[in-house]
Amino acid sequence: MLVATRAPFGVASGSCWFGFHLSRQEGSLDLLNAIVAFANFVMLPAVAYGSQLALGALGVTMIYGILRFSNFAHGDTMAFGAMATILGTWWLQAMGVSLGPFPTALLALPAGIAATAVLVLITDRLVYRFYREQKSAPVILVIVSMGVMFVTNGLVRFVIGVDEQRFADGARFIITAREFKELTGLKEGLAIKSTAMLTVVVAIIVVALLFWFLNRTRTGKSMRAFSDNEDLALLSGINPERVVMMTWIMVAALATIAGVLYGLDKSFKPFNYFQLLLPIFASAIVGGLGNPIGAIAGGFVIAFSEVTITYAFKKVAGYLIPAWEPQGLVQLLSTDYKFAVSFAILIVVLLFRPTGLFRGKAL
Amino acid sequence: MTLKPRDMTLFLVVFALIAATGFLQSWNVALGILNMGLVSAIMALGVNMQWGYAGLFNIGVMGFLALGGLSTVIISKPPVVEAWDAGGSRVIFALLVGTAAIVAAILAWKRIPAGKARAPALVAILVVGFFVYRWLFDPAVAAIEAVSPARAGNLGGLGLPVLVAWPVGALLAAGAAWVVGKTALGLRSDYLAIATLGISEIIIAVLKNEDWLSRGVKNVSGIPRPVPYEIDLQNSERFVERVSGFGFDPVTASTITVKLAYAGLFLAVLLLLLWLAQAALNSPWGRMMRAIRDNEVAAEAMGKDVTARHLQVFVLGSAVCGLAGAMMTTLDGQLTPSSYQPLRFTFLIWVMVIVGGSGNNFGAVLGGMLIWYLWVMVEPLGVALIGGITAGMPDGFWLKEHLLETAAHMRLLTMGLILLLVLRFSPRGLIPER
């Protein structure tokens, strides 16, 4: 357990101090190593993934709150937004534009949002509006959204194909595992991916903007009023078509941002976005459909459970209980069963609290 | 209810389309489409029971089909004796322990009065149960999967005739549906959709990863057939003599005979199910289901237990899907877990039901056969269409290359468009409910 002997060459004097410290207080350093390993493999990925899920769930929950149906096309709207942004990124890269340490995709993002907004507005005009005017049952709209999903999915495959696309450029890491080890002298490294950090920062900005918009602006207030009581909102002179249009534009923005962040952090593959549908809906339902704060909370609940339960704790356990040499990976569930985690949480919520953690529909 | 002349014409059109394929391309292709069309019709019948009779939105069809497919492996493959010796009984014991933990948790929740002790007791039972289960399960699985992994690596099955697997597949799917329905029915309609979406993804994940059960992505091939093998027919002197007497080539004749035998089996099952479904729909039970669908509040006021009836019809419909899944795997002769794609095995079935006419069993059958035909045909048509469009473009032009490359994805777009157009302009489908 002597870390100092294994430390890389050219360690800073600080690490010597740690190494010296180690010889006396091995236990506390093991604890630190365990915490760093946990942060590196569980906390950071879960925070990034949770932000992506939260943004996706916000879109789903807004559609549910204002248009009153579960939009199954949301995953593919995210894929479309990401695709549009990727095309923009490629164009920018071909023009020789870059953002230095930041991914070029950030520059292309507004164009991606605009393209997605055009797509969803056309879809609404051609498809959803008819059923809204008919006052169709929500379940009909769900089936309609399934058709839209098919078409959007086909569109994405048609334009960009089914293969995996990587479009992240700029700096890969804010701090690499090696740098972290050299800095602290710990055995475990903490690698902070720039895309993960970017995800979190962008998510915070977007959520802050969204809540400012919903709570402070006239349009936002009219949207909330429409969600709370449609008839009353109509009586007080709120234009429903305008509310619907604003909702779609905001959903397009949320979906595109979520899709691009997910694509930057992992990679872009159209089918993955379809598979995100389950965790996204689980997040929205766990938080309480129609409730934006719930959607954010739900996203993090799902992400943390998924990453924690599918992470192999062998390393962390090794630091915490050095005498114990676990035979397996100390993994509760293999990563192939990550859907099972969202599903199990969903079932538990449905059984014990069907309205979600944050009751009520307060958009 | 009998078929109207118009409906008969529609059925004839579909058969004419298939027959045209037979004349223009080959009878093997046509019969292949017919067989899968018959299976699709059964899938559509199952979904129609849930959606058409009761308005339940199930988007986990794929999972129920896969369970049916699993049953063919469990029932008809010969047992792998070494694997059973290595850990068969231990795996089953572990599964029993796992189930017992869940049952104990449910009992604890029901028996212990609400208070401070209940939630911790529930969690404790589940956590301890999970670790005991994994402690028993993992070594047993490792032992089984170590038995000649290239050839087997799984437990195999019971070695029974494959036809037994069909009703067993229905039972497996019904069991899964009961669990899902019990939790998600009685809540908002969207919740059932999400829950079924989840269970289907999990079932596929289980098939892909539990090698001891289904060999995972190594696939199970060589599932026994209910019909003779082509090679046996070709080696049978009587068969060769007879078909040669008609002037057919024995090899082609054998493949066509096998396909016809499948078609006969599938048709028999389809007609039986259709008769049962029609009888159920026209019985007081069927009228009650539709009354519940059209006005739940009124039906409840009349003393009908809406949630229980929903559960009933959901389980029944899923069982039909399980049966169809077992038939499909029997037809393929192999279980390929990675081939289960939701767009193909869930949403396409929905397109069949909606296009055919939700609430009408004949509509579902028609939709199943027609949409399957289109699904098979759209790809070559799309490629031909794109070929026509790009014919004028110079070779090596990027747009031409791209279009030709992606022509295969026309299917999804077309199916989505068909679904949207039918929903918009003819929401009652080709053969409407009456």
Side-chain angles (χ1 to χ4, degrees):
Chain A
M1 271 298 151
L2 271 179
V3 171
T5 57
R6 290 199 201 164
F9 298 110
V11 281
S13 58
S15 69
C16 290
W17 181 79
F18 266 107
F20 166 69
H21 213 65
L22 168 77
S23 53
R24 283 187 301 156
Q25 281 190 331
E26 207 169 81
S28 71
L29 207 56
D30 271 351
L31 184 66
L32 267 183
N33 272 321
I35 292 174
V36 169
F38 183 73
N40 191 31
F41 295 109
V42 179
M43 289 285 284
L44 284 180
V47 168
Y49 182 45
S51 314
Q52 291 147 11
L53 282 188
L55 288 176
L58 271 174
V60 165
T61 224
M62 277 186 70
I63 299 266
Y64 190 86
I66 292 173
L67 298 162
R68 298 190 163 80
F69 71 95
S70 301
N71 183 14
F72 275 85
H74 198 75
D76 285 296
T77 312
M78 281 166 64
F80 184 89
M83 179 199 76
T85 311
I86 290 174
L87 293 182
T89 310
W90 285 345
W91 183 74
L92 285 174
Q93 283 168 344
M95 304 284 287
V97 181
S98 99
L99 267 184
F102 296 105
T104 319
L106 280 184
L107 267 187
L109 194 57
I113 292 175
T116 315
V118 169
L119 175 84
V120 292
L121 286 176
I122 291 176
T123 316
D124 183 71
R125 176 68 189 79
L126 289 181
V127 183
Y128 293 119
R129 200 170 81 168
F130 171 78
Y131 299 96
R132 205 160 49 240
E133 283 166 359
Q134 300 265 308
K135 299 220 178 297
S136 300
V139 72
I140 299 289
L141 276 162
V142 174
I143 294 183
V144 170
S145 81
M146 201 169 77
V148 173
M149 179 191 82
F150 247 116
V151 174
T152 318
N153 193 304
L155 211 60
V156 171
R157 290 177 184 219
F158 198 70
V159 175
I160 206 164
V162 286
D163 299 330
E164 187 169 315
Q165 312 282 352
R166 290 186 177 277
F167 61 106
D169 53 3
R172 278 203 17 92
F173 289 99
I174 291 176
I175 179 166
T176 62
R178 198 194 146 107
E179 284 167 357
F180 184 87
K181 282 183 205 165
E182 286 175 3
L183 202 69
T184 59
L186 286 175
K187 217 165 93 181
E188 276 305 314
L190 182 69
I192 304 180
K193 268 164 83 181
S194 44
T195 50
M197 213 56 204
L198 186 76
T199 300
V200 177
V201 172
V202 171
I204 291 172
I205 294 173
V206 168
V207 169
L209 273 177
L210 179 72
F211 278 84
W212 169 80
F213 180 82
L214 286 176
N215 290 319
R216 292 277 182 271
T217 65
R218 210 180 152 72
T219 321
K221 283 179 188 169
S222 68
M223 283 168 70
R224 281 165 52 217
F226 191 82
S227 162
D228 280 347
N229 189 329
E230 191 177 340
D231 295 333
L232 218 57
L234 292 179
L235 274 178
S236 43
I238 288 172
N239 178 0
E241 285 306 311
R242 196 180 132 79
V243 167
V244 168
M245 195 181 86
M246 282 310 293
T247 310
W248 276 119
I249 292 175
M250 287 166 69
V251 165
L254 285 168
T256 308
I257 294 170
V260 169
L261 291 177
Y262 184 84
L264 279 174
D265 198 26
K266 313 252 164 45
S267 72
F268 174 84
K269 202 177 170 199
F271 188 63
N272 287 352
Y273 287 85
F274 171 79
Q275 292 204 312
L276 271 182
L277 210 54
L278 181 66
I280 283 179
F281 266 99
S283 309
I285 292 179
V286 165
L289 265 178
N291 183 329
I293 298 180
I296 297 167
F300 284 102
V301 167
I302 296 284
F304 269 88
S305 330
E306 202 170 275
V307 179
T308 312
I309 290 176
T310 55
Y311 174 63
F313 276 95
K314 183 170 185 162
K315 213 171 194 176
V316 176
Y319 286 119
L320 290 180
I321 318 164
W324 180 41
E325 295 254 318
Q327 289 180 335
L329 294 166
V330 202
Q331 187 181 22
L332 290 173
L333 269 182
S334 95
T335 38
D336 302 305
Y337 287 120
K338 57 182 183 194
F339 301 114
V341 180
S342 324
F343 182 72
I345 296 174
L346 183 72
I347 291 291
V348 168
V349 169
L350 288 188
L351 282 176
F352 296 109
R353 210 179 162 110
T355 44
L357 298 174
F358 294 77
R359 268 166 211 254
K361 217 175 59 166
L363 190 91
Chain B
M1 190 198 75
T2 50
L3 278 176
K4 289 187 174 175
R6 179 177 159 277
D7 308 338
M8 287 303 289
T9 323
L10 285 169
F11 270 103
L12 285 179
V13 167
V14 173
F15 282 114
L17 283 172
I18 295 176
T21 316
F23 283 115
L24 296 175
Q25 275 180 286
S26 87
W27 284 102
N28 259 322
V29 174
L31 284 174
I33 295 177
L34 177 72
N35 280 342
M36 205 45 219
L38 289 170
V39 176
S40 303
I42 295 178
M43 297 172 189
L45 265 183
V47 174
N48 185 42
M49 284 181 190
Q50 296 171 340
W51 169 245
Y53 295 11
L56 298 178
F57 192 45
N58 167 14
I59 47 172
V61 183
M62 170 182 76
F64 300 116
L65 294 177
L67 275 181
L70 178 63
S71 83
T72 58
V73 174
I74 296 176
I75 294 296
S76 70
K77 288 294 278 186
V80 181
V81 180
E82 302 98 306
W84 275 99
D85 291 343
S89 46
R90 278 192 289 163
V91 158
I92 289 177
F93 180 65
L95 289 176
L96 287 178
V97 168
T99 319
I102 294 173
V103 172
I106 294 172
L107 283 180
W109 185 258
K110 286 196 172 148
R111 294 286 164 79
I112 301 176
K116 278 182 184 164
R118 190 160 79 161
L122 183 77
V123 172
I125 291 174
L126 286 176
V127 169
V128 172
F130 180 77
F131 281 104
V132 172
Y133 158 75
R134 284 292 295 266
W135 179 68
L136 289 167
F137 185 72
D138 290 357
V141 165
I144 291 171
E145 289 174 4
V147 176
S148 56
R151 213 162 33 80
N154 67 336
L155 282 178
L158 299 174
L160 295 171
V162 72
L163 287 182
V164 179
W166 295 7
V168 172
L171 281 179
L172 277 182
W178 186 83
V179 172
V180 176
K182 198 73 187 152
T183 43
L185 282 171
L187 301 167
R188 253 197 298 247
S189 57
D190 319 49
Y191 285 3
L192 180 71
I194 315 278
T196 48
L197 180 72
I199 193 83
S200 71
E201 294 282 354
I202 290 174
I203 290 171
I204 301 302
V206 167
L207 288 196
K208 275 187 191 162
N209 294 297
E210 298 302 319
D211 287 13
W212 61 273
L213 183 67
S214 60
R215 292 197 80 215
V217 287
K218 291 183 289 184
N219 305 340
V220 180
S221 52
I223 291 172
R225 283 182 174 184
V227 298
Y229 286 85
E230 287 90 345
I231 192 77
D232 293 338
L233 286 179
Q234 287 160 29
N235 289 338
S236 142
E237 279 178 23
R238 255 185 66 206
F239 177 79
V240 174
E241 216 169 89
R242 188 173 292 175
V243 295
S244 306
F246 286 111
F248 294 124
D249 167 38
V251 176
T252 320
S254 69
T255 56
I256 285 183
T257 312
V258 168
K259 287 204 168 75
L260 278 175
Y262 271 121
L265 265 176
F266 292 165
L267 194 63
V269 175
L270 176 65
L271 289 178
L272 177 72
L273 279 176
L274 192 59
W275 177 68
L276 285 172
Q278 277 302 104
L281 192 62
N282 293 323
S283 69
W285 181 84
R287 284 195 294 278
M288 173 184 67
M289 290 317 299
R290 280 180 289 171
I292 292 177
R293 177 195 64 192
D294 292 340
N295 194 336
E296 277 188 28
V297 180
E300 205 152 14
M302 300 294 287
K304 304 297 177 201
D305 187 345
V306 171
T307 310
R309 293 285 81 75
H310 274 171
L311 184 61
Q312 192 181 29
V313 79
F314 181 65
V315 168
L316 277 176
S318 302
V320 173
C321 290
L323 174 71
M327 292 166 67
M328 185 177 72
T329 309
T330 311
L331 177 66
D332 290 345
Q334 60 171 356
L335 180 70
T336 323
S338 50
S339 71
Y340 287 95
Q341 298 285 337
L343 291 170
R344 156 73 183 86
F345 287 107
T346 297
F347 299 104
L348 193 67
I349 315 299
W350 269 93
V351 178
M352 293 171 181
V353 174
I354 304 276
V355 170
S358 40
N360 190 317
N361 291 318
F362 291 104
V365 171
L366 178 76
M369 310 220 25
L370 177 66
I371 294 296
W372 178 252
Y373 175 83
L374 289 178
W375 178 259
V376 175
M377 284 301 159
V378 159
E379 193 166 317
L381 283 181
V383 172
L385 179 75
I386 296 281
I389 293 175
T390 53
M393 298 180 189
D395 277 334
F397 183 46
W398 66 270
L399 189 61
K400 177 171 183 172
E401 310 252 299
H402 181 80
L403 284 176
L404 286 175
E405 233 170 71
T406 50
H409 304 306
M410 288 284 279
R411 268 180 176 179
L412 290 175
L413 208 65
T414 323
M415 287 301 147
L417 275 181
I418 291 177
L419 179 67
L420 287 178
L421 289 174
V422 169
L423 274 172
R424 172 75 167 76
F425 295 107
S426 169
R428 287 154 59 78
L430 288 174
I431 307 183
E433 187 186 355
R434 348 196 133 80

